[in-house]
Amino acid sequence: MSRSPRTLHRPARRAAALAVVVALPAGCVTVRPAERALLSLPEMTPAADAEEETFYGHVEAAREGAVGGHGAAGGGCGCG
Amino acid sequence: MRLIPRPLLAVAVCAIALSLVFGRLVRAEQGRLTIYGNYYRERSTRVLQPGVRVTVHAPDERLTFGAGYLLDAITSASIAAGAMQVTGGDFAFTEFRHEAIGTVASKLGPWQLGGHFRYSTETDYIARDLGLSFGRDFLQRTINLALSYTYAFNRVFALRGPADVNPWCGGLVPTTECLDDNAGNKNLLQVHYLAATYTHALHKKLLAQAAVETSFARGPMDNPYREATIPNGFPEAHPRERDRVSLFANLRAVFPRARLTLDPRYRFYVDDWGIRAHAIDLRLHVRITRHLRARLRYRFYTQTQARFYRDDMIYTGAQDEERSGDPKMDDFMSHTPGIQLTWQLDGIARFRGLAFLEGAYLQATYNHIIFDYDDTRSIYCTDGGYLPKRVLERRSDLCGARLGTVAFSIPF
């Protein structure tokens, strides 16, 4: 039995639309370069987690039905 | 038992040699070397994963090259991992996976460009993926929008004996058809992955990130060894197509007076196999001293069952064309508490002879995963894993796993 991806992805499309609506009002805020000292801390930098997130992505792909949210596509593995 | 596993030692020696060579080739602080070791442990499986990663600016962030190598040493006694075919019984065996990656990145004004190629090989699986990404900053770098595309093309095989490796086309393709010389690309798994990421500095203390990821997979996605877990002997047969979507959101808020950073994340996932999943990951970063940080983490994960998965594992052949013995197709929850300590070594770099440690750090991470299956304990950890006996006596559907990482990173 095959179900249409269009039907299945409706909740995902709704959530994406909601995210865009929420993000739009924030679009006019500008943080000047001189105000970014705290934003440059490692714990505030998403890229600082890249190696760790790759490992979590790999473990989750082997043990969970879902993937994503780690910022990069994981490498292949036959350990599933 | 060896204190330092041999593969980890080999990688450490190679990494030190590489850093010495790179250190002489380029000027000071033009790159970074990271050596790490990942560890995953369940009762039936142990994974040791030493690796090394090097990035070099040539001569600055306008052009950056990267390379990495990772060794996956998987010791397993699980029939679902091929123990029967390799050892002739349900005995432990160790398999190695080698992964190499090359990256190139460029920052040109507000633009970021990147590319990578990854190659991974093990006895019964060859994975390759090629990726491209580009991003752009807006509003004085307050907003960043990034798009990435990855194409993966993997070859899947099945071990039928210690030295007998055959193509695996999935449980829906008859074995004779798969072994045929004209089988062509039936054992090829192709994945197209697309992601869009939006990052916004909402305030000088608040950063938001949202991402949409989709992937379209075509090819064998089942496990050739899992027929042993389906009682009536049918091989596992997953659909050969899978479309997946995930939505991700992350907020990071720093409170400098309290030396705290809140880092909550949420991911929603849906696919056309009938799985819907929610993951909430709450992280709290604490600056204990100027150079020492701790991070506490709790992750909650829940998913629904794939439409073709049966709790009783009773499949009736032709009527149930699609079959699964894979516990990750079942509905379950998991809880993951974790802790991470990061020591930035700038504090000791001022001592004589240790100046080379400026910008270096040591990091140790530990996570404990508790899987909560609704009906029966997973085959991943049949005897409950690392949970107290009195808990397991009350809850026969729980099992645990350990996850750890140690990393050392140094600029050169």
Side-chain angles (χ1 to χ4, degrees):
Chain A
M1 187 179 71
S2 167
R3 294 170 67 185
S4 158
R6 198 177 169 80
T7 310
L8 278 166
H9 296 164
R10 190 175 294 154
R13 288 205 306 271
R14 281 183 189 159
L18 182 67
V20 170
V21 169
V22 170
L24 278 177
C28 51
V29 178
T30 302
V31 180
R32 290 192 299 274
E35 296 176 327
R36 291 198 191 131
L38 293 169
L39 292 172
S40 65
L41 290 171
E43 53 267 46
M44 289 293 284
T45 312
D49 301 337
E51 298 288 343
E52 184 188 3
E53 292 301 323
T54 302
F55 177 53
Y56 289 158
H58 194 75
V59 170
E60 287 165 22
R63 290 293 175 261
E64 296 174 356
V67 293
H70 296 286
C77 153
C79 54
Chain B
M1 190 184 156
R2 241 171 224 281
L3 192 62
I4 304 173
R6 196 176 288 168
L8 190 63
L9 201 64
V11 169
V13 170
C14 290
I16 291 163
L18 272 172
S19 69
L20 289 172
V21 172
F22 277 114
R24 287 180 188 283
L25 284 177
V26 296
R27 291 201 310 265
E29 301 210 5
Q30 283 199 316
R32 180 168 281 273
L33 170 80
T34 305
I35 308 164
Y36 57 91
N38 297 323
Y39 171 83
Y40 181 83
R41 181 82 199 243
E42 297 166 348
R43 280 292 188 210
S44 60
T45 305
R46 185 190 70 191
V47 179
L48 281 173
Q49 205 180 65
V52 60
R53 195 80 180 250
V54 180
T55 53
V56 180
H57 299 309
D60 52 36
E61 64 179 16
R62 282 176 296 176
L63 188 59
T64 303
F65 293 102
Y69 170 75
L70 179 147
L71 176 69
D72 224 349
I74 306 158
T75 302
S76 181
S78 167
I79 287 171
M84 185 68 82
Q85 287 75 10
V86 176
T87 65
D90 196 6
F91 306 110
F93 73 103
T94 299
E95 189 186 28
F96 296 103
R97 181 176 75 91
H98 303 270
E99 181 181 297
I101 184 168
T103 62
V104 60
S106 176
K107 281 188 182 177
L108 297 168
W111 292 94
Q112 300 97 39
L113 304 165
H116 80 265
F117 179 71
R118 187 193 331 253
Y119 181 81
S120 158
T121 179
E122 59 196 296
T123 321
D124 52 5
Y125 208 96
I126 296 170
R128 289 153 292 201
D129 63 74
L130 186 64
L132 290 170
S133 65
F134 69 94
R136 194 186 192 284
D137 296 323
F138 299 93
L139 294 177
Q140 295 181 51
R141 300 179 69 184
T142 296
I143 291 173
N144 180 272
L145 188 63
L147 297 169
S148 67
Y149 168 74
T150 299
Y151 172 59
F153 46 114
N154 308 337
R155 287 281 177 187
V156 189
F157 300 89
L159 281 168
R160 296 300 175 205
D164 187 11
V165 184
N166 296 312
W168 171 255
C169 304
L172 292 175
V173 178
T175 311
T176 46
E177 228 176 86
C178 189
L179 296 176
D180 193 323
D181 289 341
N182 299 319
N185 286 331
K186 283 183 183 164
N187 76 329
L188 176 69
L189 170 62
Q190 299 183 81
V191 185
H192 297 275
Y193 165 88
L194 280 160
T197 308
Y198 174 85
T199 309
H200 194 150
L202 296 171
H203 182 264
K204 60 186 177 183
K205 296 177 188 172
L206 183 64
L207 187 80
Q209 191 172 56
V212 183
E213 294 170 77
T214 60
S215 73
F216 308 95
R218 301 290 180 267
M221 284 174 275
D222 34 28
N223 185 324
Y225 315 114
R226 217 172 254 134
E227 62 190 271
T229 65
I230 299 178
N232 45 4
F234 293 112
E236 187 170 83
H238 287 173
R240 283 175 55 89
E241 296 184 0
R242 192 176 192 183
D243 297 341
R244 320 171 96 176
V245 177
S246 77
L247 303 170
F248 171 76
N250 175 212
L251 270 180
R252 292 176 192 236
V254 60
F255 302 93
R257 284 195 179 182
R259 296 180 169 190
L260 294 176
T261 301
L262 285 175
D263 177 6
R265 298 152 189 236
Y266 169 73
R267 184 195 68 196
F268 171 72
Y269 167 92
V270 64
D271 68 23
D272 62 354
W273 285 10
I275 293 178
R276 282 187 192 197
H278 302 271
I280 297 166
D281 195 340
L282 305 171
R283 302 182 187 194
L284 175 70
H285 305 258
V286 185
R287 284 218 167 236
I288 299 166
T289 68
R290 193 176 164 195
H291 298 300
L292 183 66
R293 321 194 289 276
R295 189 192 72 194
L296 302 171
R297 175 193 191 210
Y298 169 72
R299 179 176 186 266
F300 172 75
Y301 173 81
T302 181
Q303 73 170 54
T304 59
Q305 190 169 298
R307 65 170 192 273
F308 47 83
Y309 185 87
R310 290 195 172 188
D311 288 327
D312 58 9
M313 293 273 159
I314 298 172
Y315 295 93
T316 51
Q319 287 174 347
D320 293 309
E321 195 186 17
E322 293 164 352
R323 304 173 289 269
S324 183
D326 188 347
K328 65 175 181 282
M329 296 295 123
D330 197 358
D331 50 336
F332 71 93
M333 294 187 288
S334 73
H335 307 268
T336 309
I339 185 165
Q340 181 180 77
L341 288 173
T342 306
W343 182 27
Q344 290 172 288
L345 301 178
D346 303 58
I348 59 168
R350 61 189 172 187
F351 294 113
R352 195 173 174 183
L354 297 178
F356 68 96
L357 290 174
E358 182 79 36
Y361 67 81
L362 266 171
Q363 192 172 69
T365 311
Y366 178 76
N367 291 287
H368 198 106
I369 310 174
I370 301 158
F371 295 101
D372 183 352
Y373 290 86
D374 70 333
D375 28 48
T376 180
R377 188 176 293 153
S378 158
I379 57 161
Y380 288 145
C381 36
T382 47
D383 61 357
Y386 302 92
L387 292 174
K389 198 176 271 180
R390 58 194 159 90
V391 173
L392 294 172
E393 280 167 2
R394 279 187 287 123
R395 292 288 305 272
S396 61
D397 51 352
L398 294 182
C399 63
R402 294 169 169 172
L403 196 64
T405 300
V406 178
F408 172 67
S409 183
I410 186 167
F412 56 81

